Structure formats: structure tokens, C-alpha cells
Amino acid sequence: MSQLRALVIGASVAGPMTAYWLAKAGARVTVIERFPKLRTNGQAIDVRTTGVTVMRKIPGMEAAVRAKTTQLEGMSFVGDSGQRYGTIRATGNPDQQALVSEYEIFRGDLAQVLFDLSKDNENVQYVFGEQIASIQQSENEDGPVKVKFANGFTASEYDLVVACDGATSRTRAIGFGGSVRDYVDPVNSWAAFFSTEQDFIDGSKVGNGYSAIGGRFLAVGNDPAGGNRVTLMSIHPRNKRDVTLPFREAMTQGEEALKRFVARHYEGAGWKTQEIMAAMTSSSDFYASEMVQVKVPSLHKGRFVLVGDAGYAPGPTGTGTTLAMTGAYVLAGEVAKHKGDLAAGLNGYEERMKPIINDMQKIPPMVLSICAPQTAWGIWLRNNIFAFIAWTNMLEYAQRFFGGSAGGTDKYGLPDYEWVA
């Protein structure tokens, strides 16, 4: 069999990770990214459970990630006056992580690590400023896929096309047919991220988390480069009608309109929100998105396949990065295992990933209410329960209720695959 030709769409985390492992499986990989260069901004993300397992299979990756961690030592819930109700800290055991991860890293830094691991591979080519125009599979969906591009890259045939371009994947809509919101399961929440030159936590490596009525949550952490990184989350009960529509409408009106919408939403929230909103207006790396889950009936259609958020965004469970890294590894491993039978490899990928996805997409009971209570009474109750848990050292037990994000690295028993390269 001739060398497998693979096209990967997206160069954030899932895309470069997929390129690395497919090249190990002997494929010739082209990665396209619609932005003109690698995006190196973004929020803090965690590498957990099977993500740690996969990371340790790549020479040098664990050291590279550790060198770029956010250096966050813990997170404290604070009240309106700044009073701390208790602090969550990492366990110190990367094989059994807590809500605070030993491997917390900014998304852009992880993207750079993964890009650097794959960019010099002779079987990996990156093309920036390009995106898909059309995908045409053969009639029986068992032959090469014809792909045309939007910005001048030469139309080509590929044996495998992999969408790694996020929860509202445009490529998924083209490959499966339909719209970008098909298979998107909203969780009635949105989040925004930005950095500030100002230091709102006095140089502490313990971040501050603050809740205001109406499900408004704000977290401020130290930025190793100076200043702070801020996360905002607006969380609403899932049994309400879609309340994220005004947010999505603001997104269509551009960054400045979206910043104004966010600032209005946080008016009168208390603590340091007024000063933080003022800092947001001048931030140069502001980013916001709706929090969603993606649930598809199948991860592949013919020779078109989904990896990461495009196929199984987990929403607020904290497992998105882990699922992306795991999916990339399993896809390439199953393709290598079933060399010469791509259909069997894709079926193997689906069978291996479905139980992991189902587990990691489970939103633990009450987790959204704990993060962002809707009422003053709910905030008071959460803060005092949290203070009691922290005081009694019951946190290790309590974290068992936070699903796949707090599991051990060997929980799912990922197979070892044989690689060509």
C-alpha cells in the first residue's frame, strides 16, 4: 500500500497532535489553518488522565509542558470584600490530579509545543491562511476524497480527511452536510478570556474566583509574563430556554460590541469587577465563545473523521484538551493497527473513543451551580460549604464527584500501538 495521504484541518491542539501521531503511523500529513499564523493566545487549559498518558508517550513533551505551565498553585473562592473561603490546591501527584491540575498551560503555549514537535517532520506540512471550500467523497465512500481549497492551495485527493477545527466546525458541516450548529448541544453558558497588565491579586500564585448573582463567575490568575489572566463565565440553568442568544448576536457584531456586552453583563457584580472590566476594554487578546457540547451519531463518514471538539466537545467538564490528545493518539494508532484497511481503523477509533467520550462528557451533578450560583443565598451557601470542606480536608473525597477530569492516568487503559516512524 502506498503512503497514506492525510489532510488535517485546524492547527490549535487537536490538529498538530493528530499530525504528529499520523506521521508516526507512516502517513504523509498536510495541516491547514485558516488563520495566517499559529495562534499563541488563549485561556488556561489542563492536561489530565489519558492526556497525561499520551503526553508521556512523546519524547520531550512532558518537560516542554512543565516549562510552560501557568505556575498556578491553587484557587481561592473570595467574597465581595476579598475574604477567602478556602483554597483548592494541586495534589502534587500528576497521576491523580485534583481540580487544580499539575499540567495547567495556556492554550497558545500548548499549541506551540505541539507545533514544534511536528513542524520539522518531513512527513508533515503546515499551510496557514487556508481553509476548505469543498469535500467530495467517492460514491461508496471507500476511495480517495477530493478536496478543494478556498485561498489558492492546489486541489488534491486524500485518503483521510480529519476535522480538528472546533465545536462549531465549518469542516464538519461540509463533511457531514448541514450547518455548524448541527450536533451542538448548548449548556446555556458562555465564557470570555483576556490578559491584563494590571495585577489584581498582588503577585499571588493562588488565583481568586468570585461569584455574583445571576450565574456570573470571574477568575483571576497570575500570568508568568506579568499581570493577570482573567476568565469570565456566565452560567445559567440548562432547564431554561436558550439565554445565550444575545451573546451570540453580540459576537456577530465584532470584538468591541462583544466587549460592551460583557461589560454590561458584569455591571454591579461587586468585588473588583469594575476595574477588571475597565482593563478588558483595552485588552489586545480578548476571546469569547459559547460553552457547548458536541454529540454526533458517528465520528466518521466514509473517510472523513472528527477529532477533538469538532467531534466531542465536552463543554464545562474540563476535559477538552485531554479528549483531543487522546482522540489523536487513538485515531492514528487504530489506522496503524489496521494498515491497509482504513475502514477497520476508523471503526476501531470509534469503538475505542466512545466510552471515553461518554464518560468525559458527563457534567457532574451540581457542578454548574457550584461554580456560579444564581442567587445571593446560593453564593453564601456555596462559600460556606466550600470553607467547611477546605477546613476539614475533605476536598480529596469531594473531587470524586467531578467526573473524568479528576481521574487517574490509567483509568481507561489506552493500548500501546506499534508505529512505523
Side-chain angles (χ1 to χ4, degrees):
M1 180 182 178
S2 59
Q3 187 177 26
L4 185 80
R5 301 162 298 173
L7 175 67
V8 174
I9 299 91
S12 179
V13 172
M17 187 91 280
T18 300
Y20 176 90
W21 287 113
L22 282 175
K24 292 278 288 181
R28 171 70 181 171
V29 188
T30 301
V31 184
I32 66 167
E33 166 60 50
R34 67 187 179 94
F35 286 91
K37 61 181 181 179
L38 190 72
R39 292 176 293 157
T40 55
N41 63 339
Q43 74 274 24
I45 54 180
D46 300 334
V47 181
R48 297 177 174 272
T49 62
T50 51
V52 177
T53 303
V54 171
M55 175 175 66
R56 290 175 174 169
K57 294 178 183 292
I58 301 175
M61 182 176 172
E62 185 173 13
V65 168
R66 283 193 178 277
K68 286 291 187 178
T69 56
T70 64
Q71 302 175 24
L72 183 74
E73 295 179 355
M75 179 64 68
S76 296
F77 280 119
V78 300
D80 188 63
S81 65
Q83 173 192 0
R84 290 186 178 185
Y85 287 90
T87 300
I88 306 171
R89 295 185 183 272
T91 64
N93 177 9
D95 295 321
Q96 188 66 51
Q97 296 188 51
L99 295 178
V100 175
S101 171
E102 272 74 11
Y103 299 108
E104 182 174 278
I105 183 173
F106 295 122
R107 188 208 60 79
D109 288 337
L110 182 58
Q112 186 70 61
V113 167
L114 296 174
F115 176 72
D116 290 344
L117 285 168
S118 56
K119 66 182 175 65
D120 295 326
N121 189 312
E122 64 181 4
N123 283 317
V124 178
Q125 176 190 16
Y126 282 90
V127 179
F128 290 92
E130 189 56 272
Q131 54 188 325
I132 296 290
S134 66
I135 296 172
Q136 182 181 348
Q137 298 211 50
S138 60
E139 280 191 22
N140 61 5
E141 297 184 342
D142 193 32
V145 182
K146 296 179 181 179
V147 180
K148 292 183 180 179
F149 300 91
N151 299 324
F153 193 62
T154 304
S156 300
E157 288 188 346
Y158 298 92
D159 302 302
L160 182 65
V161 177
V162 190
C164 301
D165 52 339
T168 54
S169 168
R170 180 176 173 273
T171 313
R172 182 184 66 228
I174 295 172
F176 278 13
S179 76
V180 296
R181 297 219 33 111
D182 288 349
Y183 313 114
V184 169
D185 185 15
V187 296
N188 245 9
S189 306
W190 54 261
F193 314 91
F194 57 93
S195 60
T196 70
E197 294 181 359
Q198 299 96 316
D199 180 4
F200 295 102
I201 55 175
D202 301 322
S204 175
K205 290 187 178 181
V206 175
N208 286 180
Y210 173 74
S211 293
I213 60 172
R216 294 174 292 179
F217 179 74
L218 182 154
V220 183
N222 177 63
D223 187 338
N228 294 153
R229 296 281 185 120
V230 178
T231 298
L232 308 173
M233 288 193 290
S234 177
I235 296 173
H236 305 274
R238 297 188 72 180
N239 58 5
K240 282 190 174 182
R241 296 184 62 185
D242 183 6
V243 296
T244 63
L245 181 58
F247 170 80
R248 300 203 306 271
E249 290 175 342
M251 284 188 71
T252 67
Q253 297 167 19
E255 182 176 300
E256 293 307 314
L258 186 54
K259 284 181 177 180
R260 289 193 296 271
F261 172 86
V262 172
R264 286 195 302 271
H265 185 72
Y266 276 83
E267 282 181 359
W271 191 48
K272 299 180 180 181
T273 53
Q274 185 173 348
E275 298 96 318
I276 292 171
M277 290 301 103
M280 179 189 70
T281 60
S282 59
S283 65
S284 59
D285 60 353
F286 176 85
Y287 168 77
S289 65
E290 183 186 5
M291 296 166 62
V292 301
Q293 293 191 321
V294 170
K295 298 182 178 181
V296 293
S298 174
L299 296 178
H300 67 98
K301 179 181 180 183
R303 294 190 172 192
F304 174 75
V305 63
L306 309 172
V307 170
D309 282 357
Y312 31 84
T317 66
T319 58
T321 302
T322 290
L323 276 171
M325 293 174 62
T326 305
Y329 172 78
V330 172
L331 171 64
E334 291 295 320
V335 168
K337 178 181 176 180
H338 297 89
K339 186 175 181 180
D341 190 347
L342 195 53
L346 294 175
N347 287 332
Y349 165 64
E350 183 114 22
E351 290 169 8
R352 282 279 182 188
M353 285 303 297
K354 278 294 187 179
I356 301 174
I357 294 165
N358 291 340
D359 192 29
M360 292 194 184
Q361 282 192 330
K362 291 176 182 174
I363 301 176
M366 302 296 291
V367 68
L368 298 182
S369 297
I370 291 170
C371 286
Q374 301 295 309
T375 65
W377 160 248
I379 294 170
W380 179 89
L381 183 63
R382 188 280 311 276
N383 286 347
N384 283 279
I385 290 175
F386 181 72
F388 175 76
I389 290 174
W391 176 68
T392 57
N393 293 319
M394 291 173 57
L395 193 57
E396 182 177 348
Y397 172 79
Q399 286 175 151
R400 296 177 187 176
F401 297 97
F402 283 83
S405 65
T409 58
D410 61 352
K411 180 178 180 181
Y412 300 98
L414 287 185
D416 289 319
Y417 295 108
E418 293 185 9
W419 305 103
V420 174

